Amino acid sequence: MTFGIAAPDALLGFGFGGTLLALFMRVGGGIYTKAADVGADLVGKVEAGIPEDDPRNAAVIADLVGDNVGDCAGMAADIFESYEVTIVSGLILGLALVTITGELKWIIFPLLVRGIGVLSSIVGTYVVKGKKDEKRGNAMKAINKGFYTSAVISLIAFLFLAHYYMHEWRAFLSVGVGILLAIVLDEITKYFTDTHYKPVKDIAKSSKTGSATLILKGLAVGYEAAVWQTIVIAATIFSAILIYWGQPVIYVLYGIAMTGIGMLTLTGNNVAMDSFGPIADNANGIGEMAGLDKDARQVMADLDAVGNTTKAITKGVAIGSAVIAAVSLFGSFLTDVTNVQAQMGIAENLRIAVTGIRISVPTVFIGLLIGGAVPWLFSSLMINAVARAATLIVDEVRKQFKIPGLMEGKVKPDYKQAVGICTVAAQRELISLALIAVLSPLVIGLLLGVEALGGFLCGTILSGQLLAVFMANAGGAWDNAKKSIEDGLFGGKGSEAHKASVVGDTVGDPLKDTAGPALNPMIKVINLVSLLAAPILIQYHRDNPIVIVTIVVFTILILVSILYSKRDASTNL
């Protein structure tokens, strides 16, 4: 309303700001929480044989703080940027339809949908209740009840909105498919990560033959989960095509954006489900340190296991929304480049909207390959950062275990030192990893051209989606397999099966809580940088001396960032 015709550019700037900050919080929070968690588990549970949240462990407070930094603040920022990027893409495409049809409803509809979603989420929270006569209720059942209640209320409201305001059913079907997508992703994630289903039970069973077979089983579960979730997202996009069949492509892209908006209609429920995880985890840890009775600890342990599933579900929804938003932003990319090409006098049959992104062109295929490789590089550097910080925590905890009287409970450890190590490690990684996400699309666009940049985006979206879902589900499944064994399966705590499951959980920690979730904002940072830069990049040729210098400088910055992220752990001291 304020910027008028310049609104799309302002909205993209707004979206980029939210996405970049979410990337910072995901990277920093993920490294913080998992450095503490992995370090505490390796020394405390595996080496010293003490409970997970034993107050004698110097890293236990850092672990509890990390849950808030990584899973609460980090995930809230992640969901927020997914929420606002989908609304940005919807409004930009809606503005294009207003230009064609002269009807303002295309912009107002996504705003009304989001407003309805807020109200339905509020109603849904009051449905989440446990039965008073149950000593150990089914928390997942109560949470699902609230989620499905909100979904039903939203669908009914959208029905009335489509009939009385839009005067057509296609918009309703698009947001309805989005809600259905969220529910299906919810169920798929639950199947692969919940303790009640076969995948987690099989992982737990494989612990009887050691940590190697347990890790292999978890990898298989994660890979399979990535396949099914990707197929569901593909089917969802195809549904948007069918809904607007026969209409110009701008209507199809608008339908895809509405699917993303519908998918995140229940963001209030998603934030609550995600926050439930670290709240239950911290309560369990505080119960351990306070020495609560066995029954109370078991209740909190059960809630902690449910929290692992709810965290995996919200990550699946966030990753799915990233792909949906990226597809709609990809349409904006093609539109913007075509408009600039028209202003430059390029013949209509040579404009990108007509030619499309042709992977048969070698430079485009190169862009596709590099784009597919970036999420893997990003994940490698994230996991390396966790391993480096965890090494420092392990050394610190081992050193403090040697303090006279500490293991007897007569002396308290120096919790502050572990918190300091995690804080410094998290902050040191932010800029280098963000530079890779921001500069890589600029280098590709300047060096190979905007069509190759389109191929780069395709590779990043596909590779990032598969890798992120794999890591989130494999890590969640390993964690819950450990919880199942701690509840008494295959010898319970202290058994060889339990030690194997702790190794699996430790391997999965940086996957599910650091690298996997960080790929979601990374995908959208790359998309938004490309969208903002493409109209400028297309006006410069790579033979220009300024362009050559820019490419060289950006490439050097990327290489320095990679080398900095691969430095030895001793340099952190």
Side-chain angles (χ1 to χ4, degrees):
M1 292 171 68
T2 302
F3 289 93
I5 196 170
D9 296 325
L11 286 168
L12 285 173
F14 175 78
F16 178 65
T19 302
L20 188 61
L21 186 58
L23 180 64
F24 279 139
M25 295 183 77
R26 260 307 184 197
V27 170
I31 292 170
Y32 187 112
T33 182
K34 290 303 111 179
D37 196 0
V38 170
D41 282 359
L42 284 176
V43 186
K45 295 169 73 174
V46 177
E47 293 184 9
I50 61 177
E52 182 170 352
D53 295 295
D54 194 295
R56 292 172 291 178
N57 192 325
V60 70
I61 298 298
D63 187 10
L64 296 179
V65 173
D67 288 334
N68 292 284
V69 174
D71 289 325
C72 285
M75 188 63 188
D78 193 351
I79 292 179
F80 167 75
E81 62 92 12
S82 295
Y83 193 78
E84 47 97 4
V85 166
T86 50
I87 199 75
V88 163
S89 61
L91 291 175
I92 290 173
L93 294 165
L95 187 62
L97 288 177
V98 170
T99 305
I100 296 170
T101 64
E103 296 180 283
L104 201 60
K105 66 180 185 180
W106 303 105
I107 291 178
I108 302 299
F109 179 71
L111 300 175
L112 293 175
V113 166
R114 281 286 160 85
I116 290 168
V118 170
L119 295 174
S120 64
S121 289
I122 291 172
V123 174
T125 59
Y126 289 98
V127 181
V128 182
K129 294 179 181 178
K131 294 179 181 179
K132 292 182 180 179
D133 58 342
E134 279 186 330
K135 193 172 182 180
R136 290 167 59 186
N138 189 335
M140 197 73 232
K141 184 179 178 181
I143 292 170
N144 283 337
K145 189 177 179 182
F147 184 82
Y148 292 132
T149 299
S150 297
V152 170
I153 293 171
S154 296
L155 283 171
I156 293 171
F158 296 159
L159 200 65
F160 283 98
L161 186 63
H163 181 72
Y164 291 105
Y165 180 70
M166 294 297 287
H167 305 297
E168 57 104 37
W169 294 103
R170 288 174 173 171
F172 165 73
L173 291 174
S174 295
V175 293
V177 166
I179 290 178
L180 181 63
L181 171 62
I183 292 172
V184 172
L185 290 179
D186 180 323
E187 293 300 321
I188 290 176
T189 306
K190 194 189 309 174
Y191 173 74
F192 283 105
T193 59
D194 196 287
T195 55
H196 294 92
Y197 296 99
K198 191 174 185 294
V200 170
K201 290 180 179 179
D202 286 348
I203 293 173
K205 186 178 180 180
S206 66
S207 67
K208 294 192 295 183
T209 50
S211 55
T213 50
L214 179 133
I215 289 172
L216 289 172
K217 191 66 180 178
L219 291 174
V221 166
Y223 288 139
E224 186 181 352
V227 171
W228 291 116
Q229 289 205 17
T230 303
I231 289 173
V232 170
I233 292 172
T236 303
I237 296 173
F238 185 64
S239 298
I241 296 171
L242 292 178
I243 290 168
Y244 284 95
W245 188 263
Q247 297 291 324
V249 69
I250 189 69
Y251 283 89
V252 176
L253 291 171
Y254 181 78
I256 293 171
M258 289 306 99
T259 298
I261 287 173
M263 183 180 180
L264 290 173
T265 294
L266 307 178
T267 290
N269 300 73
N270 289 331
V271 171
M273 289 169 70
D274 181 72
S275 299
F276 177 88
I279 289 169
D281 193 357
N282 275 3
N284 195 20
I286 293 168
E288 173 69 42
M289 288 189 286
L292 292 186
D293 63 86
K294 186 177 179 181
D295 286 344
R297 287 296 319 286
Q298 187 58 55
V299 169
M300 288 186 288
D302 291 342
L303 294 179
D304 192 5
V306 173
N308 286 329
T309 301
T310 59
K311 285 194 296 182
I313 288 169
T314 50
K315 284 165 191 164
V317 171
I319 294 163
S321 71
V323 176
I324 298 294
V327 171
S328 51
L329 288 171
F330 194 67
S332 301
F333 171 83
L334 297 177
T335 303
D336 282 3
V337 171
T338 301
N339 291 338
V340 175
Q341 288 176 326
Q343 294 170 12
M344 293 171 64
I346 295 175
E348 187 174 352
N349 64 324
L350 297 177
R351 295 173 194 167
I352 200 167
V354 177
T355 62
I357 305 296
R358 301 163 295 178
I359 60 170
S360 58
V361 176
T363 53
V364 177
F365 195 74
I366 291 170
L368 182 72
L369 291 174
I370 296 174
V374 166
W376 294 82
L377 172 65
F378 201 82
S379 300
S380 168
L381 297 177
M382 289 278 289
I383 294 170
N384 190 50
V386 172
R388 185 166 54 246
T391 300
L392 298 174
I393 292 291
V394 166
D395 290 341
E396 179 63 28
V397 175
R398 282 175 178 168
K399 184 176 71 175
Q400 293 202 30
F401 274 163
K402 296 176 183 178
I403 296 174
L406 187 141
M407 293 306 289
E408 292 78 19
K410 298 176 182 178
V411 179
K412 286 185 178 181
D414 184 2
Y415 301 118
K416 183 180 177 181
Q417 189 65 24
V419 170
I421 290 171
C422 292
T423 304
V424 171
Q427 291 176 341
R428 282 185 174 179
E429 306 297 334
L430 296 178
I431 300 299
S432 59
L433 288 165
L435 280 174
I436 294 169
V438 171
L439 296 181
S440 57
L442 297 179
V443 171
I444 295 297
L446 288 169
L447 184 63
L448 302 177
V450 290
E451 193 175 345
L453 179 56
F456 177 84
L457 295 180
C458 292
T460 302
I461 293 168
L462 176 59
S463 174
Q465 150 70 17
L466 288 167
L467 190 56
V469 174
F470 154 68
M471 289 193 286
N473 282 274
W478 274 319
D479 198 344
N480 273 349
K482 180 200 69 175
K483 289 283 191 304
S484 297
I485 292 170
E486 287 178 343
D487 284 343
L489 280 179
F490 312 120
K493 291 182 180 180
S495 65
E496 290 302 314
H498 181 235
K499 290 179 181 178
S501 70
V502 170
V503 173
D505 177 39
T506 307
V507 170
D509 273 339
L511 301 186
K512 70 180 174 68
D513 290 326
T514 307
L519 289 180
N520 174 31
M522 187 215 73
I523 290 170
K524 280 178 281 193
V525 164
I526 288 175
N527 269 268
L528 286 164
V529 168
S530 302
L531 190 51
L532 287 164
I536 302 170
L537 298 178
I538 197 173
Q539 299 178 52
Y540 293 92
H541 197 272
R542 58 177 171 266
D543 293 338
N544 187 314
I546 296 175
V547 173
I548 294 172
V549 171
T550 303
I551 292 171
V552 171
V553 170
F554 284 179
T555 303
I556 290 172
L557 284 172
I558 291 172
L559 291 174
V560 169
S561 297
I562 293 170
L563 292 173
Y564 180 78
S565 292
K566 287 171 65 66
R567 68 194 183 283
D568 186 74
S570 61
T571 59
N572 265 358
L573 293 172

